[in-house]
Amino acid sequence: MTKQNKAFKFRLLPNKEQALFLAKTFGCVRFVYNKMLAERKDTYEKFKDDKEALKKQKFPTPAKYKDEFPFLKEVDSLALANAQINLQTAYKNFFEGNAEFP
């Protein structure tokens, strides 16, 4: 017996207010991802010779940036948290040799 997959296509037709909110959310997620990636690169460059110290480093959460960048408070916090999870997954895949550098 073969397995058959199904797919569904949905079209979103947001009004102007919803489209603006979606654009803000996508922009903030991209901003947080890039900020966290830059901090991880800096941390790696600082501790690349000492692997034990590198493993002990705590990486920031998106909540850290909300004080410095108040526009991040306007979007859903779960979207920003997913950016952090995506970055962690990208790093894990990179160090396991399954993907290129994020």
Side-chain angles (χ1 to χ4, degrees):
M1 186 165 143
T2 62
K3 182 178 177 181
Q4 185 176 12
N5 294 324
K6 289 184 179 181
F8 297 95
K9 264 189 184 179
F10 295 96
R11 182 178 297 208
L12 295 178
L13 299 172
N15 61 28
K16 288 182 182 181
E17 184 180 322
Q18 292 168 331
L20 179 64
F21 183 74
L22 288 172
K24 281 183 183 180
T25 301
F26 294 142
C28 288
V29 167
R30 190 177 317 112
F31 176 80
V32 167
Y33 184 92
N34 289 332
K35 281 296 248 187
M36 289 192 296
L37 179 61
E39 284 196 27
R40 279 193 172 220
K41 283 181 181 178
D42 293 342
T43 304
Y44 179 76
E45 288 300 318
K46 189 186 295 183
F47 295 105
K48 68 181 174 183
D49 297 330
D50 189 4
K51 299 294 181 190
E52 291 302 316
L54 183 62
K55 289 180 182 178
K56 293 179 183 177
Q57 293 300 311
K58 300 243 180 194
F59 295 108
T61 62
K64 173 194 172 201
Y65 302 111
K66 288 186 179 183
D67 293 333
E68 189 177 353
F69 304 102
F71 61 87
L72 294 174
K73 294 177 184 177
E74 297 176 13
V75 300
D76 185 30
S77 62
L78 291 177
L80 300 179
N82 280 331
Q84 179 185 15
I85 292 169
N86 291 341
L87 182 63
Q88 288 172 345
T89 304
Y91 259 87
K92 180 182 168 214
N93 289 336
F94 171 69
F95 284 117
E96 289 176 353
N98 298 330
E100 294 182 16
F101 187 75

